[in-house]
Amino acid sequence: YVIRSLAVAPLVMEGKIIGSLNLGDYGEKRFVPSMDTFFLSRLAVIFSLCLMNLIDRERLASLAARDELTGLFNRRELDEALKRAFSSHQRHKKDMALLFIDCDDLKKVNDTHGHDCGDALIRSVAEEIMRIIRKEDMAFRYGGDEFVVLLPDNTESGARHIARRLKAFFNDNPLVWRNSLIPLSVTCGAASTEAGETKKPADLLARADEDLYRNKEERNFAAQENERRRC
């Protein structure tokens, strides 16, 4: 089966050629340079419109699922992903973990350097989270300066290891902003299904949030003690 004649029509979207519609035939005279190309051109236009509609739907779906600033999944997607991961945990009896991450002193950064700097800080945290987690893990912007990382087939120890890596990275790599170095730190809370106390997906999120709150309190207390000693 050898194609002996071929007609090629460009597929155009937003003024750019994005591909081609190729029609082949076993007959040598099915497609010839002198043939009328009107219907072929119309078919290419229809294909281009279909592709545009498909891409527009994909864009809308992405906007609905992703946080605009960071590109991470949003909080609504977290609810669904957590349900799926918890269901998988129950079926396969494999532990799962969750890491809650909070950016320290974002309000101070916004007040001192402006919200553009605060946005850059949030993006920096999101990028580092994505850099160090596994392919099967999922990262979400929970809201404001808070992030959640879902860790299937992992333990609380694994979640805390990621937390230590994040804290160490930001301790050594302040945010560079308009020729200034902005200190950047995070506080994390972790939880997993290992303890057997998780009855529903929301329990895991709540326990990680409680752990985050405790760690935040300890951090603030240590900072106050250091300030008292300096005075």
Side-chain angles (χ1 to χ4, degrees), residues 4-191:
R4 292 185 170 84
S5 62
L6 182 69
V8 179
L11 299 178
V12 180
M13 188 170 64
E14 297 178 351
K16 297 180 180 180
I17 296 177
I18 61 168
S20 63
L21 174 62
N22 307 311
L23 302 178
D25 197 90
Y26 305 134
E28 294 180 359
K29 297 183 179 180
R30 175 65 180 84
F31 300 111
V32 294
S34 60
M35 71 177 291
D36 187 350
T37 61
F38 174 78
F39 291 106
L40 181 62
S41 298
R42 296 300 301 167
L43 188 59
V45 170
I46 292 171
F47 266 84
S48 296
L49 290 174
C50 290
L51 285 173
M52 288 178 66
N53 289 335
L54 177 63
I55 291 172
D56 285 342
R57 284 198 297 271
E58 290 294 324
R59 286 173 178 169
L60 287 174
S62 178
L63 287 173
R66 298 277 182 174
D67 170 61
E68 184 177 358
L69 178 62
T70 63
L72 300 183
F73 290 110
N74 58 28
R75 183 170 179 173
R76 182 172 63 180
E77 287 298 300
L78 169 63
D79 294 337
E80 294 302 317
L82 190 54
K83 290 176 184 176
R84 292 194 299 269
F86 190 73
S87 176
S88 178
H89 150 70
Q90 290 180 313
R91 288 197 310 272
H92 302 294
K93 307 302 179 185
K94 292 184 178 180
D95 286 316
M96 59 178 288
L98 189 142
L99 186 65
F100 220 130
I101 303 165
D102 179 84
C103 300
D104 299 326
D105 302 323
L106 178 63
K107 184 179 184 304
K108 181 179 179 181
V109 171
N110 284 333
D111 292 343
T112 305
H113 302 281
H115 284 81
D116 286 347
C117 182
D119 288 348
L121 184 150
I122 290 172
R123 283 194 296 269
S124 179
V125 173
E127 289 168 2
E128 183 59 17
I129 291 172
M130 289 304 299
R131 190 184 70 83
I132 66 174
I133 63 176
R134 306 167 303 174
K135 290 183 179 180
E136 59 267 34
D137 301 333
M138 297 182 70
F140 306 83
R141 187 181 180 194
Y142 191 73
D145 59 351
E146 294 179 323
F147 302 86
V148 170
V149 181
L150 188 57
L151 304 162
D153 193 16
N154 210 331
T155 62
E156 185 173 325
S157 176
R160 295 196 186 282
H161 176 67
I162 292 174
R164 287 193 295 271
R165 289 183 62 186
L166 280 173
K167 293 175 72 69
F169 176 83
F170 292 126
N171 284 338
D172 296 336
N173 296 273
L175 176 69
V176 179
W177 178 256
R178 296 177 182 172
N179 299 320
S180 298
L181 296 179
I182 313 299
L184 198 168
S185 66
V186 295
T187 302
C188 303

Side-chain angles (χ1 to χ4, degrees), residues 213-224:
Y213 181 78
R214 285 193 297 269
N215 293 333
K216 198 81 162 175
E217 287 290 294
E218 290 177 4
R219 175 185 178 274
N220 292 338
F221 179 78
Q224 291 170 3

